[in-house]
Amino acid sequence: AMRFLLLALLLVACAPASGALLAQDDFATSASGWTVTETLEGRAGYDDGQYRIVVAEPNFDVWATAGKDYADVRIEVEAANGGGVEDNSFGAICRYTDEDGPSYYSFLVSSDGYYAIGKTVKGQSTYLSGNVMMFSDAVLRDPPAHLRAECAGTRLTLWANDVQLAQVDDADLRSGKIGLIAGTFDQPGANVVFDNLRVTAP
C-alpha cells in the first residue's frame, strides 16, 4: 500500500500545474520546429513572422505539428484569413498520432462564423459537436480570432474570442502532438495565418 501511495504522489507531482506554460511560439524563426510542407494539395510553413497554411484542393485539410506529445493541453492561438476563401475551416489540433493514418482532435472555426469540434481516426473524420459546423457571431467578433482549445481527460472544449462554443466528451485518443490545421469545402483556396501560439496545462 505504501509503494502504491508513493507512486500516486509521484504522478501528481509530475503533472504540470494548471496554467503552467508548456510551449509558446511567435513563429519569428523556422527553428521552432513546425512542419514545413509543399505539395500540389497545399502548403504549410513560416511566413514573415506568422505561420501560414494554404489549401489548394477542394474538400481537403492541411495540418502541421510540432513539439512533444501531450495528454492534457490548452492551446491558444490567433488565426485569421490570409486572403483565401471565406468558406473554410481552421484551428488547432491535439493528440495527433500517425499510425495507419492520422488521428487527432480538431477545434475548428471558419472565416464566415462557423465552428465545430472534430475527431479524425486513421484518416476518417467526423464532427463530435453536431452533424455540421454551427454558427456563432463570437467567431466573427475579432479578426484575428483568438482561439482556445482544451483537451483535458475526456473533455474537449473550444472557445473563440473568450466565448465557449462547444464542449464534448470523447475517450478514444489519449495523447499526441499539438498542431494547426486549415481546410476547404467545395471551393479550393483556403489561406490562413496563425500567430502568438501559447500552450499551457489545462
Side-chain angles (χ1 to χ4, degrees), residues 6-200:
L6 182 62
L7 180 63
L9 287 171
L10 283 171
L11 286 172
V12 169
C14 291
S18 178
L21 184 65
L22 304 176
Q24 62 183 354
D25 201 339
D26 62 3
F27 305 109
T29 168
S30 59
S32 64
W34 283 84
T35 311
V36 175
T37 57
E38 183 151 7
T39 66
L40 290 174
E41 292 84 12
R43 61 185 166 86
Y46 297 81
D47 187 353
D48 196 24
Q50 298 177 310
Y51 192 86
R52 185 181 300 269
I53 299 179
V54 175
V55 188
E57 290 285 311
N59 298 301
F60 198 83
D61 291 329
V62 174
W63 61 86
T65 60
K68 58 184 183 178
D69 287 4
Y70 300 103
D72 294 344
V73 70
R74 177 187 298 141
I75 306 161
E76 295 179 76
V77 68
E78 292 171 8
N81 192 328
V85 294
E86 297 274 310
D87 187 18
N88 57 15
S89 68
F90 56 90
I93 61 180
C94 72
R95 299 180 183 169
Y96 176 92
T97 58
D98 196 351
E99 297 165 25
D100 305 319
S103 299
Y104 54 86
Y105 292 120
S106 53
F107 300 81
L108 304 168
V109 297
S110 71
S111 292
D112 50 2
Y114 290 80
Y115 68 89
I117 296 175
K119 176 170 76 168
T120 299
V121 177
K122 297 181 179 176
Q124 298 299 308
S125 298
T126 55
Y127 292 136
L128 296 173
S129 54
N131 294 329
V132 294
M133 291 184 78
M134 310 288 283
F135 179 79
S136 170
D137 60 7
V139 177
L140 302 173
R141 191 172 299 162
D142 242 341
H146 180 263
L147 304 181
R148 179 173 151 199
E150 198 165 288
C151 305
T154 61
R155 181 145 294 176
L156 310 169
T157 313
L158 168 64
W159 288 261
N161 300 319
D162 299 319
V163 176
Q164 183 178 309
L165 300 176
Q167 186 171 75
V168 298
D169 282 280
D170 191 88
D172 288 349
L173 308 179
R174 299 303 175 90
S175 71
K177 294 187 184 305
I178 60 162
L180 302 170
I181 188 169
T184 53
F185 296 104
D186 292 341
Q187 267 187 300
N191 185 331
V192 180
V193 289
F194 299 89
D195 207 352
N196 298 321
L197 176 84
R198 185 177 166 85
V199 184
T200 55

